[in-house]
């Protein structure tokens, strides 16, 4: 049986926290920022947590990471 590989895109975009939750960045913050309000851009700062309904997909993309 071959080794299970981690998706390269997923390992660049997500980090697994010690408790088993997954940290992600916000979308819609890269370009076309002039038409977005200051409040909207401010609320997109920082990180967010992947929702529990998507954790099955995260476990498939990041095998062996303790998810």
């Amino acid at each position: 049986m071959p080794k299970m590989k981690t998706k390269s895109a997923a390992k660049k975009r997500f980090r697994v926290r010690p408790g088993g939750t997954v940290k992600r960045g916000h979308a819609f913050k890269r370009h076309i920022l002039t038409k977005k309000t200051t409040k909207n851009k401010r609320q997109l700062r920082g990180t967010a947590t992947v929702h529990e309904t998507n954790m099955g997909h995260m476990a498939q993309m990041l095998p062996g990471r303790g998810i």
Side-chain angles (χ1 to χ4, degrees):
M1 190 80 184
K3 291 183 179 180
M4 294 178 67
K5 288 189 175 182
T6 299
K7 293 283 186 184
S8 294
K11 70 182 175 186
K12 295 171 190 173
R13 288 167 172 82
F14 303 107
R15 293 287 179 267
V16 180
R17 290 176 171 153
T21 60
V22 180
K23 186 171 73 167
R24 66 170 177 85
H26 286 285
F28 307 109
K29 190 69 196 305
R30 295 293 180 194
H31 60 101
I32 316 175
L33 297 173
T34 54
K35 63 177 74 171
K36 295 175 181 142
T37 63
T38 307
K39 178 182 177 181
N40 190 4
K41 290 184 280 191
R42 184 173 61 246
Q43 289 177 345
L44 291 174
R45 284 182 201 152
T47 57
T49 305
V50 173
H51 198 264
E52 62 263 8
T53 56
N54 294 321
M55 289 302 289
H57 296 292
M58 298 305 301
Q60 287 179 347
M61 289 191 289
L62 300 169
R65 304 278 175 127
I67 301 175

